[in-house]
Amino acid sequence: MENKNLELIKDIVGAENIDSQGIVYPLTVEQVVRIVKLANQAGFPLYPMGQGLKFQSFIPKVDKGIIVSLKKLNKIIEYRPDNMSIEVEAGITTGELLEKLAPDNIFYPIDIDNLNSTLGGQIAANYYGRKKYMYKSSRFQVLGLEFVSPQGEIIRVGGRTVKNVSGYDISQMLVGSWGAFGIITKITLRVRPRPEKNLMLKLTIDNLQELTDIAGKILEERMSLASLTFEHRENKFNLYLELEGFQDTVELQGKRLKEQYPFIDAPSLTPQQQLRAKISVPLTNYLNLLLELEKIVADNLDFHGNITNGIVELDLPEDRIEEIKGRVDKLQGALVFDRKIIVGQGNDPNYRRILENIKKQVDPNNILFPEILLKGVEIL
């Protein structure tokens, strides 16, 4: 970044709010507005982020723009437990949010491994946790947003109720955009009563065919299923089944499952290491994907997945990419390798053209995160 731009930014936020990496930490929405307007005038790009937990690998690649972190905009604006909603600034963390909700036995359902993750970052990435099957993604928790447009305007969309728009819901365009269409500054979230009971069960299985058979039967059952995940270790598969809901219901369902299969009680899951290759497919094709990957499993590669999220991660060598591309495409899936989209909608030229046209309309100077759409960067 040129020194003259850094000096101009210092005049807005103060030198104490710029760190050694050149990351800028505005303290108010008005400062965000001034930074965006300056970027348009001076012609340098901006890269919005929260804590940067998913952004760290991208920071060294930013050599001509400014990274703007919203982590210091971390106030709770309004909490309405009677309405099951809360309005917060984008920099508040998951841990801070849960701490505020806990005394009322209320929680935010998007579970995340790192409680220091900001809500703004999660919404911008449309993050979903392990329990997506039950609670869906961040997109479905958003009731309203405030954001700074690429031209530096403060815009509010949505509201505090489930049905709060009569036309196109612009807030949904911001969710999952990584800040390419606007910098999210405030969020109104839907929150929920805390479930009475969470139960984790574990089943060790010898082979992939048996795992797919059991998983298929479980998915056909009517139960309070929050997640169904697995890991491949030492030529064995561990299947983890998570139930969540009313205590009596969960305990009864857990008892029935133990009668059908040799499940045992398991502690809470520890976060899995992110592996080089990430495959996602529709849930209806997931079990077929596992059977397609039998050859890779035989190679004893690290391998784990979330069946109810439609995700598989594996430590795939680069020379095996071509072998797997066709299988993923046939199952209408996406393949990301070393954070680059190999197969998927992001590489569809028609899809990319539509996104690029929208980007040109809302951000004609291409100020906000230009690479995210034009180069197919997959940060997650």
Side-chain angles (χ1 to χ4, degrees), residues 9-20 23-27 31 72:
I9 293 289
K10 285 181 182 178
D11 290 340
I12 296 174
V13 302
E16 68 278 9
N17 290 308
I18 302 176
D19 70 12
S20 59
I23 300 175
V24 176
Y25 300 90
L27 302 177
Q31 288 182 352
K72 292 189 177 182

Side-chain angles (χ1 to χ4, degrees), residues 24 46 63 96 124 162 164 298-299:
V24 176
L46 297 175
D63 56 358
E96 291 166 339
V162 175
N164 50 52
D299 290 340

Side-chain angles (χ1 to χ4, degrees), residues 7 20 90 126 211 250 330:
E7 291 302 318
S20 59
N126 191 26
L211 184 145
V250 168
K330 182 178 70 173

Side-chain angles (χ1 to χ4, degrees), residues 136-357:
K136 302 184 180 180
S137 68
S138 299
R139 183 183 306 279
F140 294 89
Q141 320 309 321
V142 174
L143 297 176
L145 292 175
E146 176 191 275
F147 67 96
V148 176
S149 76
Q151 287 77 39
E153 307 157 307
I154 299 175
I155 300 175
R156 290 193 63 92
V157 292
R160 295 191 179 94
T161 61
V162 175
K163 180 62 178 174
N164 50 52
V165 290
S166 56
Y168 181 75
D169 188 355
I170 295 176
S171 67
Q172 297 304 301
M173 185 176 76
L174 274 292
V175 179
S177 72
W178 284 91
F181 300 136
I183 301 177
I184 297 170
T185 51
K186 294 176 185 173
I187 310 155
T188 302
L189 292 168
R190 177 208 318 262
V191 292
R192 301 167 185 255
R194 180 176 295 281
E196 293 179 0
K197 178 73 174 179
N198 177 280
L199 177 64
M200 184 73 71
L201 301 176
K202 175 183 175 181
L203 177 63
T204 300
I205 301 171
D206 289 330
N207 58 72
L208 193 54
Q209 180 65 61
E210 186 181 2
L211 184 145
T212 56
D213 289 344
I214 293 174
K217 292 175 182 176
I218 288 171
L219 291 173
E220 291 175 355
E221 295 283 341
R222 294 178 62 87
M223 65 177 73
S224 305
L225 182 63
S227 70
L228 188 63
T229 62
F230 73 91
E231 61 183 1
H232 177 243
R233 288 187 178 178
E234 299 177 353
N235 295 318
K236 295 280 188 180
F237 289 92
N238 292 321
L239 180 66
Y240 296 93
L241 184 150
E242 185 175 15
L243 301 173
E244 190 163 283
F246 293 111
Q247 182 169 346
D248 290 347
T249 302
V250 168
E251 290 178 349
L252 178 60
Q253 291 174 356
K255 180 181 178 182
R256 288 176 177 172
L257 283 165
K258 289 178 180 179
E259 291 171 351
Q260 290 178 275
Y261 309 100
F263 275 107
I264 61 172
D265 290 342
S268 298
L269 288 178
T270 56
Q272 293 279 9
Q273 179 184 1
Q274 186 167 327
L275 303 178
R276 294 187 74 184
K278 178 180 178 180
I279 302 170
S280 59
V281 296
L283 181 57
T284 51
N285 292 337
Y286 192 89
L287 299 182
N288 290 330
L289 171 66
L290 293 185
L291 295 177
E292 290 281 346
L293 296 178
E294 275 192 286
K295 185 184 296 185
I296 294 172
V297 174
D299 290 340
N300 202 27
L301 297 174
D302 287 340
F303 183 56
H304 59 76
N306 187 316
I307 297 172
T308 40
N309 282 5
I311 301 291
V312 175
E313 291 192 26
L314 53 158
D315 199 14
L316 189 70
E318 190 167 1
D319 60 8
R320 303 289 294 277
I321 290 294
E322 288 299 321
E323 177 184 349
I324 202 172
K325 280 172 58 177
R327 299 175 184 179
V328 174
D329 192 46
K330 182 178 70 173
L331 294 172
Q332 301 174 307
L335 168 62
V336 175
F337 183 77
D338 285 347
R339 303 179 185 273
K340 293 290 184 180
I341 298 172
I342 306 299
V343 176
Q345 190 178 41
N347 281 343
D348 184 321
N350 294 322
Y351 172 80
R352 296 181 68 78
R353 185 172 63 252
I354 291 171
L355 284 183
E356 289 169 13
N357 287 338

